[in-house]
Amino acid sequence: MRKYSVYLLLGFILLSWGLGIYYVAAFYTPTTVIPMFNNFYWTSTYSAMLGLTTAFTITSILLFVIHKFYKKIYKWYLVRGIGLFAWGFVIFSQLKIAAFNLGICH
């Protein structure tokens, strides 16, 4: 069961990078709008679609390397669960930003 969560996490990482690179390549604009709760945030396309992906990829790799050194810690199931939830949030955010900027959610 431990390998499935690692494969699922790797799948989420690859899906997020794929979505971000596809959006940047296919629908490039100089600025991208990120919809917030009560505001809008204007940023470049790269930081909007690949900013969270880069941050969470580096964090996931560091946690995976730390886990290899401390194998006897059983709280890593919680860390993996939070990681899967965070990657789901990143993918949802990318889809929301893409849909908003393409005019689907206006």
Side-chain angles (χ1 to χ4, degrees), residues 15-93:
L15 178 67
S16 179
W17 276 101
L19 283 171
I21 291 171
Y22 175 74
Y23 182 82
V24 169
F27 305 109
Y28 180 76
T29 58
T31 59
T32 300
V33 179
I34 299 175
M36 298 294 199
F37 294 112
N38 61 351
N39 205 348
F40 297 106
Y41 181 66
W42 294 74
T43 185
S44 68
T45 305
Y46 291 107
S47 63
M49 295 306 289
L50 295 174
L52 279 176
T53 303
T54 303
F56 278 99
T57 300
I58 292 169
T59 305
S60 296
I61 290 171
L62 286 176
L63 285 174
F64 185 74
V65 169
I66 290 170
H67 172 64
K68 287 299 179 185
F69 289 116
Y70 301 106
K71 288 185 178 181
K72 297 190 184 232
I73 298 175
Y74 293 107
K75 294 179 182 176
W76 287 103
Y77 290 110
L78 180 64
V79 172
R80 286 182 185 166
I82 292 171
L84 291 174
F85 178 76
W87 276 106
F89 172 74
V90 169
I91 292 170
F92 171 76
S93 297

Side-chain angles (χ1 to χ4, degrees), residues 23 32 49 93-104:
Y23 182 82
T32 300
M49 295 306 289
S93 297
Q94 284 180 324
L95 292 174
K96 172 79 174 160
I97 292 167
F100 187 83
N101 284 289
L102 292 175
I104 297 171

